[in-house]
Amino acid sequence: MTIMQYGHAPGDAGEVSTRSTLIIYMTGLFLAVVLTATSFWVANTSIIWSTGVPLGLSVLAIAQMGIHLVFFLHITTGPDDTNNVLALAFGVLIVILVVAGSLWIMTDLNENMALPAELMDLHMQH
Amino acid sequence: MTITVAHDGHVQDHTAATATGVSPVSKRIVVTYGFWIFLLSDIVMFSALFAAYATLSRATAGGPSGAQLFDQVGVAIETACLLASSFTCGLMSLAIDSRRFGATYLYALLTFALGGAFLALELREFAHMIAIGAAPQRSAFLSAFFALVGCHGLHVAVGLIWLLVMMVQVKIRRFSAAVERRLLCFALFWHALDIVWVWLFTVVYLIGANQ
C-alpha cells in the first residue's frame, strides 16, 4: 500500500543516516555549551560596558534558540518545512508583540504616572 | 512543495487518511504538526509570563532583589543538566529510529535522571528562598518569578511523567506507529522546554542579577 506523502514532521531528522544525525546533535550540543558559557561569562565580566550586557545576553539567547531549532528540532529552510517555519514565524511574531508591547506600555505608564519617591514603593506593590 | 512517495504499512493510517477526506499527508506529519502548533501556543503563554516578570522585576516592595537571591553556580548546574538531557533525548530519538531497545531505555533513563536532577535543584532553590522569607507573596517581583520559573518546572515535571509513560508503552507495544509518533512529540516537547530555559536563565538569572 502506498500513500502520497509530502511535508516534513517537525523534529524529524529526515532521510539521513544515524551517523550524520549524531554529528548534528553533537554539533548542536557543542555550540549550545559554548553559547551558554559565553552568556555566563558576559554576565559576570567587568570588561564589557554594563549597559550593553543585557543586549549582549539577548543576542546570545537568540543565537542559542536558533541552534536548538536547527540542530535539535531539525527545523530547516527546505520547501518541505514551509508549514513548520510559517507556524514558528507566527509564534515568534505573537511573542514579540506580547513582550515588547507589554514592556512599552508599562514603561510608558510608569513614566506618566510617576509618584514621589517615597510613594513609589507602595505603588509598585500592586 | 516537493512530493515524495512513502510506504506506510499501517492500515489505520490509510483509513484515517481516507476518512478525513482527501488528505494525502501521513498521520505522522499531521500529528507532529499539530503538536508543533501546541508547543508554539505554549511558548506564547510563556511569553506572557516573561512580559509580567520583565515588567515587575524591579517591584521588590522593599524585599530581596534578584541580585541578592540568585545563585549563579546552581543555575549553571541546572542549565548543564537540562542541556545534557536535551542531548540524550536526541540520542534517544536516534535509538528509536534504528529500533534499538536497549539504547532507547538507556537514553530515556539518562534523560529522566538529568531532568530529575534539574527539577530537584530547582525545588531546593525554591525551598531555600521560601525559608529565608522570599516567598511568592513577599513582592510582585517574587510572584512573577515563582509563576514563570514554577511554570517551567511544572512543564519539566509533566515531561518526566510523560517519559515514564512512554517507556511503559515501548515495553508493551514495542515501536508501533502510534508509540513512535508519541515519542517524536515528546522529543519536540523536551527540546522546546530547553529553549524556554535558555530565555529563562538569560532574562531571570543573568540579566536579573545585574540589575
Side-chain angles (χ1 to χ4, degrees):
Chain A
M1 177 171 50
T2 306
I3 57 166
M4 298 295 280
Q5 176 184 316
Y6 56 80
H8 170 77
D12 228 352
E15 299 293 312
V16 284
S17 69
T18 305
R19 190 180 159 76
S20 54
T21 318
L22 180 64
I23 292 169
I24 290 172
Y25 279 118
M26 292 180 86
T27 316
L29 180 69
F30 172 74
L31 290 171
V33 166
V34 169
L35 286 169
T36 304
T38 315
S39 289
F40 276 86
W41 177 78
V42 165
N44 292 298
T45 185
S46 52
I47 296 174
I48 298 167
W49 180 46
S50 62
T51 317
V53 166
L55 188 67
L57 287 171
S58 304
V59 171
L60 284 166
I62 291 169
Q64 190 162 340
M65 191 174 71
I67 299 292
H68 280 263
L69 284 173
V70 171
F71 292 94
F72 290 160
L73 287 156
H74 310 296
I75 299 296
T76 66
T77 51
D80 289 355
D81 237 12
T82 313
N83 287 337
N84 304 331
V85 173
L86 276 178
L88 175 68
F90 182 68
V92 170
L93 174 73
I94 301 297
V95 167
I96 290 173
L97 284 178
V98 169
V99 174
S102 301
L103 281 174
W104 185 15
I105 289 170
M106 293 311 288
T107 312
D108 219 38
L109 201 68
N110 280 341
E111 279 171 11
N112 290 327
M113 295 178 70
L115 290 167
E118 66 269 19
L119 283 173
M120 201 60 190
D121 235 17
L122 206 62
H123 162 71
M124 290 300 270
Q125 281 181 8
H126 297 289
Chain B
M1 188 171 280
T2 50
I3 296 175
T4 52
V5 179
H7 296 277
D8 203 328
H10 299 284
V11 179
Q12 75 265 30
D13 281 6
H14 183 250
T15 48
T18 47
T20 52
V22 289
S23 171
V25 182
S26 83
K27 195 166 178 180
R28 183 183 169 92
I29 288 172
V30 174
V31 167
T32 46
Y33 184 66
F35 195 75
W36 180 236
I37 304 278
F38 158 73
L39 280 178
L40 290 166
S41 69
D42 210 29
I43 285 173
V44 167
M45 182 205 71
F46 268 110
S47 78
L49 291 173
F50 269 105
Y53 177 82
T55 312
L56 296 169
S57 63
R58 287 162 201 273
T60 53
S65 71
Q68 293 163 329
L69 288 170
F70 301 149
D71 164 32
Q72 283 206 6
V73 178
V75 176
I77 297 170
E78 284 176 48
T79 307
C81 282
L82 208 58
L83 185 58
S85 84
S86 209
F87 179 65
T88 54
C89 179
L91 294 182
M92 184 178 82
S93 302
L94 280 181
I96 293 161
D97 284 345
S98 50
R99 298 283 186 275
R100 286 176 293 154
F101 280 100
T104 304
Y105 289 131
L106 175 69
Y107 291 130
L109 185 68
L110 282 173
T111 307
F112 188 88
L114 288 161
F118 168 85
L119 207 59
L121 283 167
E122 190 166 272
L123 287 174
R124 209 188 59 157
E125 187 201 5
F126 283 0
H128 172 71
M129 284 174 73
I130 291 169
I132 61 168
Q137 64 268 35
R138 179 64 190 82
S139 65
F141 154 68
L142 284 164
S143 302
F145 169 83
F146 276 97
L148 175 57
V149 183
C151 188
H152 178 266
L154 202 62
H155 275 75
V156 173
V158 169
L160 289 177
I161 294 168
W162 188 2
L163 182 60
L164 276 182
V165 172
M166 283 327 296
M167 284 309 110
V168 174
Q169 292 197 355
V170 169
K171 179 80 183 157
I172 296 169
R173 300 177 58 183
R174 320 296 281 178
F175 292 121
S176 74
V179 170
E180 216 187 320
R181 279 197 302 270
R182 290 168 199 161
L183 283 165
L184 188 58
C185 288
F186 169 77
L188 278 174
F189 181 73
W190 202 250
H191 293 313
L193 281 187
D194 208 14
I195 293 182
V196 174
W197 180 254
V198 167
W199 281 103
L200 235 151
F201 80 72
T202 302
V203 172
V204 176
Y205 292 102
L206 296 183
I207 295 180
N210 282 315
Q211 281 175 353

